Amino acid sequence: MIGGYYEKILDIDLSTKSIKEINLEEEVLRKFLGGRGLGAWYLWKRVRRGEDALGPGNVICLMTGPLTGLPLGRTALVSKNPLTNGIAHSTAGGNFHQELKFAGYDGLLITGKAEKPVYVLINDDEVEIKDASALWGLSTHETIEKLKKIHNDPLLRSICIGPAGEHMIRYACVVTEYWCVYGRSGLGAVFGSKNLKAIAVRGRKGFPIKDKSKLKEALNIWMSFLQKQAATVRSIRARFEEPYLVTLFGKIGQQGVKNNQEAYSPEAWRLGSFQHDLRHWVRHWSCFGCPIHDKQIGVVRYGPYAGTMVVGPGYEPTSALGPLCDLFDAEALMYFVDLADEYGFDAVGLGRVIAFAMELYQRGILTRDDLDGIDLRWGDPKGMKEIIEKIVKREGIGDILAEGVKRASEKIGKNASRYAIHIKGQEIIGRDLRSDPEAALGEATANRGADHLQGTTREEQFSAALVDSLCLCFYHAVFRRCYEHVNLYSKILNLITGWRTSPDELMKVGERVWNLERCFNVREGLTRADDTLPYRLFYEEVPSGPTKGSKIDREEFERWLDRYYEERGWDKQTGIPTSEKLRELGLEEVDEEISQIRVKFSKK
Ligand code: SF4
């Protein structure tokens, strides 16, 4: 037995109701580790080219990592992305991941489509597909609570979708307990397309390791590392520090306001940490076993939104549902962040879509009639609430906006695409990138579409893929500086698994996963032309504030892309990984398929 793994995953077909176990090979585990990497491998093997992301042929890969179950783990969801048609991946903490590992599984593959709404129930070795008609239509937190009641088990842990996922809103997310979300990539829509409401798990087998002394040693090393990290992470995150970024970016001219028509916001402090700290903070909360304990629970205590309770809110939902929509009312913001979670929306996607619709209304591209009578003025909570209700039910204009800004702009026409702020079809977070070209390049080249978490350099991007494959929390690794801790990861991994994996080999795993994801995108038709930025970032200067006059120089951007591909061993013309690179990474099987695409390009 390899420590850290049960060496098996579940293979569930919702169409045929079949449930099987697949044994994992050590060679595959060493190559991809788990989480995002193992998910990408199964996605590559299982999903045929051109498969509809919202069709039964798409696969949901839910994977743990070798360290999941220790006080540091998460799970990763990987699938085909309904926004970009490329790869989708997202990780979440909370307290679901350890339960899946303790039930004796390293992950799940879910394919097909159930005839009626269902959920998957895993109770150690008992795995069932259950009728979810009593859950369909419920909000995410209602679903999680109801599942506990149905099974009379307060320790049953679940991930689920809300009404947004049920209606296949392309930017729907998957939610787990206490506001932890698999936010980006439209994974909630993929669940909805399969009539899959939830996955509920109860595990009692514990963490898989034979030599308990090694486990103790690994935990001692890890905990003393986390104690040191805690001060840094807490200084960033604790006591609503994260929304401080809204204040900071607003001041320095890097906060998108009114769908990035502006980037300077002296008003942003109204949503900043100090306001939350003073008015909303109740207590801290933590994912399973994490000593950093940095999640902040806040409650709105007075006014029309009194009683609203959320964790955070983090920078991303704050900036998207706040300044992007010109909303600077902290209590209204808390309400919309909570609503997004309850309905199961990715708050970034939702905020960006509302801001896009507001700008089209401002410019007369969408009229009040087009908006089904909604007066969608900047910063007006009433209009925001009304448009969210339309979107979540796919009613009228809501049906178009449910498709995300890229597809909606194509349907609306009238030059609306100039105001659609996305990369590869996935909406960009609220930050304004025009004065930070390095970050813009990172977002443009990320495999899942617009993505502020992957960094730009080789070290940053490969170590981000590594951290997600080990299923570690980004905050433990202090964001993009994960590569500084690879020695530590290899030490812990070797103690747990019994392997002798060097830090260099681990970084190779990150590079392999990054290349495999790129190849998945290439097979789906994405190329260099998709590694680009929205019109506004190239052609409209920031109009005021400290970054006034900034925009991304298009020609220079193309030169950066050349260098980016060269550094990774990819072809400059197409952005396709070379045969040498794929073979160096042990991806021969992938190279065979990609070589046919290279031939097509060379004939063009
Ligand atoms: S650092 Fe925060 S987000 Fe990460 S595992 Fe700990 S409590 Fe969860």
Side-chain angles (χ1 to χ4, degrees):
M1 177 182 134
I2 312 164
Y5 295 101
Y6 278 99
E7 296 172 57
K8 62 181 181 188
I9 56 175
L10 285 165
D11 187 4
I12 299 173
D13 186 334
L14 295 177
S15 299
T16 61
K17 301 188 180 110
S18 94
I19 301 171
K20 290 185 235 156
E21 284 182 5
I22 301 176
N23 292 325
L24 295 171
E25 291 163 19
E26 183 166 1
E27 192 195 340
V28 172
L29 291 176
R30 291 193 81 138
K31 267 178 145 173
F32 300 103
L33 293 173
R36 177 172 156 189
L38 196 58
W41 177 241
Y42 275 101
L43 195 74
W44 172 267
K45 305 262 294 175
R46 288 288 187 95
V47 173
R48 287 173 311 178
R49 180 183 183 166
E51 198 73 65
D52 181 0
L54 298 179
N58 193 8
V59 181
I60 296 167
C61 311
L62 171 66
M63 296 292 174
T64 66
L67 309 177
T68 304
L70 303 181
L72 43 77
R74 296 163 86 77
T75 41
L77 275 173
V78 181
S79 196
K80 184 169 177 181
N81 190 326
L83 288 162
T84 68
N85 280 330
I87 196 147
H89 61 81
S90 194
T91 69
N95 51 19
F96 168 84
H97 50 274
Q98 82 282 353
E99 215 64 33
L100 181 57
K101 182 72 90 174
F102 295 168
Y105 298 105
D106 297 311
L108 275 82
L109 301 175
I110 300 180
T111 189
K113 178 181 179 180
E115 269 173 35
K116 290 181 184 162
V118 294
Y119 65 99
V120 171
L121 178 68
I122 302 169
N123 191 353
D124 289 324
D125 294 327
E126 281 173 37
V127 184
E128 295 171 84
I129 301 169
K130 308 273 287 181
D131 178 9
S133 44
L135 303 171
W136 206 249
L138 295 185
S139 76
T140 53
H141 293 109
E142 285 169 345
T143 303
I144 288 167
E145 289 312 312
K146 183 133 189 172
L147 278 165
K148 286 180 182 176
K149 276 201 189 120
I150 291 171
H151 296 284
N152 195 22
D153 184 354
L155 295 179
L156 186 73
R157 305 300 186 194
S158 313
I159 60 174
C160 70
I161 57 170
E166 291 171 13
H167 290 115
M168 289 183 267
I169 313 293
R170 285 185 191 263
Y171 42 94
C173 69
V174 177
V175 175
T176 181
E177 211 157 344
Y178 299 116
W179 304 271
C180 292
V181 296
Y182 305 83
R184 309 241 61 202
S185 292
L187 289 153
V190 181
F191 270 55
S193 73
K194 297 187 176 307
N195 273 330
L196 177 64
K197 178 71 176 173
I199 301 169
V201 187
R202 185 76 152 91
R204 299 171 187 80
K205 292 184 187 164
F207 186 75
I209 189 164
K210 268 192 197 152
D211 188 343
K212 298 273 191 256
S213 67
K214 297 271 192 238
L215 176 62
K216 203 171 161 202
E217 193 182 339
L219 280 175
N220 282 341
I221 296 170
W222 183 252
M223 284 303 180
S224 61
F225 166 72
L226 282 192
Q227 300 298 350
K228 283 187 210 138
Q229 291 296 88
T232 319
V233 175
R234 279 184 149 236
S235 72
I236 299 167
R237 296 256 296 162
R239 282 241 162 181
F240 294 108
E241 275 300 304
E242 210 180 339
Y244 172 68
L245 290 173
V246 179
T247 316
L248 175 72
F249 290 142
K251 264 191 193 155
I252 64 173
Q254 288 193 353
Q255 176 56 54
V257 183
K258 291 189 178 176
N259 201 32
N260 293 71
Q261 291 182 83
E262 295 157 27
Y264 172 56
S265 173
E267 290 288 292
W269 65 270
R270 293 181 188 281
L271 304 176
S273 314
F274 184 65
Q275 296 304 312
H276 285 300
D277 209 4
L278 204 66
R279 283 145 62 180
H280 306 138
W281 183 81
V282 176
R283 71 178 179 88
H284 277 74
W285 179 78
S286 178
C287 302
F288 171 74
C290 175
I292 290 187
H293 205 69
D294 65 320
K295 289 178 168 267
Q296 318 92 359
I297 297 179
V299 167
V300 177
R301 296 194 168 91
Y302 53 84
Y305 308 106
T308 300
M309 183 164 80
V310 295
V311 162
Y315 170 70
E316 296 87 349
T318 300
S319 66
L321 288 160
L324 276 190
C325 301
D326 206 28
L327 179 80
F328 293 97
D329 173 339
E331 280 73 35
L333 176 88
M334 296 274 278
Y335 172 75
F336 286 120
V337 171
D338 181 44
L339 194 64
D341 278 352
E342 291 292 356
Y343 281 161
F345 283 110
D346 166 23
V348 174
L350 180 64
R352 187 57 85 178
V353 164
I354 296 171
F356 164 73
M358 283 174 160
E359 183 168 359
L360 297 192
Y361 185 50
Q362 169 204 317
R363 293 179 183 279
I365 295 172
L366 286 179
T367 64
R368 200 160 168 170
D369 278 352
D370 295 327
L371 291 169
D372 306 319
I374 299 171
D375 185 16
L376 196 59
R377 280 176 289 122
W378 290 111
D380 178 17
K382 182 171 176 288
M384 285 177 72
K385 172 82 168 83
E386 287 171 359
I387 202 76
I388 291 171
E389 294 301 331
K390 289 277 175 197
I391 295 171
V392 77
K393 294 179 190 126
R394 277 190 176 267
E395 271 177 15
I397 185 70
D399 191 37
I400 294 174
L401 297 176
E403 294 291 291
V405 296
K406 176 175 182 279
R407 287 174 176 80
S409 70
E410 287 161 3
K411 282 190 181 169
I412 293 165
K414 303 181 207 166
N415 256 342
S417 59
R418 280 174 65 158
Y419 314 110
I421 312 290
H422 68 89
I423 292 170
K424 300 185 178 84
Q426 176 152 284
E427 290 77 15
I428 304 184
I429 60 161
R431 195 173 164 219
D432 195 290
L433 300 167
R434 283 175 283 191
S435 57
D436 189 348
E438 190 183 323
L441 180 68
E443 295 239 12
T445 52
N447 290 323
R448 66 174 173 177
D451 191 342
H452 62 296
L453 293 173
Q454 307 299 311
T456 306
T457 65
R458 291 174 86 250
E459 288 77 15
E460 287 169 346
Q461 293 190 332
F462 299 163
S463 63
L466 169 65
V467 162
D468 285 349
S469 302
L470 285 166
C471 285
L472 297 174
C473 173
F474 250 43
Y475 292 114
H476 292 169
V478 190
F479 305 103
R480 295 170 189 164
R481 285 171 27 215
C482 320
Y483 53 87
E484 290 177 4
H485 308 301
V486 176
N487 284 345
L488 178 84
Y489 303 154
S490 87
K491 208 172 189 177
I492 305 251
L493 182 71
N494 290 342
L495 279 168
I496 296 293
T497 56
W499 293 339
R500 288 189 184 174
T501 309
S502 69
D504 285 349
E505 282 172 89
L506 277 191
M507 281 303 276
K508 270 278 175 245
V509 173
E511 184 176 7
R512 186 176 298 120
V513 173
W514 194 268
N515 275 266
L516 176 60
E517 291 174 343
R518 180 78 184 184
C519 288
F520 182 86
N521 285 356
V522 167
R523 191 169 68 177
E524 293 299 329
L526 278 77
T527 64
R528 174 176 177 137
D530 298 285
D531 292 338
T532 190
L533 296 168
Y535 177 90
R536 175 157 282 156
L537 272 63
F538 282 132
Y539 300 112
E540 289 182 22
E541 293 180 356
V542 173
S544 62
T547 54
K548 185 171 186 246
S550 302
K551 63 176 182 175
I552 306 286
D553 183 304
R554 178 107 214 205
E555 283 177 18
E556 213 175 322
F557 180 82
E558 295 301 329
R559 286 195 290 277
W560 298 333
L561 264 187
D562 285 347
R563 213 165 45 234
Y564 175 93
Y565 296 138
E566 266 170 10
E567 280 173 9
R568 279 153 186 76
W570 297 355
D571 177 69
K572 274 200 298 188
Q573 306 298 320
T574 59
I576 300 176
T578 58
S579 186
E580 296 73 41
K581 176 50 74 181
L582 294 181
R583 285 172 186 272
E584 175 203 314
L585 294 169
L587 295 172
E588 290 81 1
E589 192 181 325
V590 175
D591 183 47
E592 274 167 34
E593 252 189 278
I594 293 297
S595 60
Q596 295 164 18
I597 298 169
R598 286 195 205 99
V599 171
K600 276 187 202 153
F601 266 100
S602 64
K603 283 183 185 157
K604 275 186 188 170

